[in-house]
């Protein structure tokens, strides 16, 4: 499945079983991208992250982080803001409760990006709208 087919099949706001399929698709391409940069489809990975961002579940934060951290290309393609579909404060609180190194790394990156101004005027609705415009 490519980006166009995923967008056609799930749209930007998947729900229910479609979200599970998006998670599986993202996990599979993350695994491929970690194996060798370029094996995963980073544009499809970004779309999956947008779809999960729009669902707003905190349980997807680490899945999105793993995708972002899969390679340099994925890291550049997947915006840090995509971790925050549940809101910035809630995402930071969620990550701080985990005792995993990857949660600590994601939280540290969020703090650095926030200090650099990357979250100035951030809102879930505004970012969702930007991605809706990008994909239409």
């Amino acid at each position: 499945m490519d980006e166009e087919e995923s967008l056609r099949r799930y749209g930007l706001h998947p729900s229910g079983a479609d979200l599970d399929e998006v998670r599986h698709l993202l996990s599979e391409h993350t695994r491929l991208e970690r194996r060798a940069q370029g094996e995963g489809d980073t544009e499809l990975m970004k779309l999956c992250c947008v779809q999960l961002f729009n669902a707003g579940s905190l349980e997807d934060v680490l899945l999105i982080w793993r995708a972002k951290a899969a390679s340099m290309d994925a890291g550049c393609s997947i915006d840090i803001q995509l971790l925050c579909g549940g809101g910035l404060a809630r995402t930071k609180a969620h990550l701080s409760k985990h005792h995993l190194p990857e949660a600590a790394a994601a939280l540290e990156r969020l703090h650095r990006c926030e200090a650099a101004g990357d979250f100035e005027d951030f809102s879930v609705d505004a970012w969702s709208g930007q991605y809706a415009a990008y994909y239409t």
Side-chain angles (χ1 to χ4, degrees):
M1 178 178 305
D2 63 11
E3 177 187 13
E4 188 175 302
E5 184 180 345
S6 179
L7 187 57
R8 187 173 44 255
R9 182 179 290 183
Y10 306 121
L12 287 177
H13 297 273
S15 61
D18 288 347
L19 277 171
D20 289 336
E21 291 180 28
V22 169
R23 289 178 184 112
H24 175 75
L25 190 59
L26 180 58
S27 294
E28 180 62 20
H29 280 271
T30 298
R31 183 186 65 74
L32 291 170
E33 189 65 15
R34 281 188 176 190
R35 187 170 66 193
Q37 185 166 304
E39 283 195 25
D41 182 338
T42 56
E43 289 302 313
L44 176 59
M45 291 167 68
K46 178 178 180 170
L47 173 59
C48 290
C49 291
V50 168
Q51 291 164 324
L52 296 176
F53 171 90
N54 284 333
S57 174
L58 293 174
E59 298 308 313
D60 292 324
V61 171
L62 287 176
L63 179 62
I64 295 168
W65 174 254
R66 288 180 197 114
K68 182 170 180 56
S71 71
M72 181 181 238
D73 285 350
C76 292
S77 180
I78 299 168
D79 300 317
I80 189 69
Q81 289 83 357
L82 288 172
L83 271 68
C84 301
L88 178 58
R90 289 182 64 222
T91 300
K92 291 190 303 186
H94 175 74
L95 288 169
S96 69
K97 292 177 187 174
H98 284 278
H99 299 290
L100 300 169
E102 62 189 351
L107 184 59
E108 180 184 337
R109 175 75 65 82
L110 283 173
H111 285 299
R112 282 197 331 256
C113 290
E114 191 176 19
D118 294 342
F119 284 90
E120 194 170 308
D121 299 323
F122 172 81
S123 78
V124 171
D125 290 339
W127 276 82
S128 182
Q130 286 180 10
Y131 286 116
Y134 178 80
Y135 285 105
T136 55

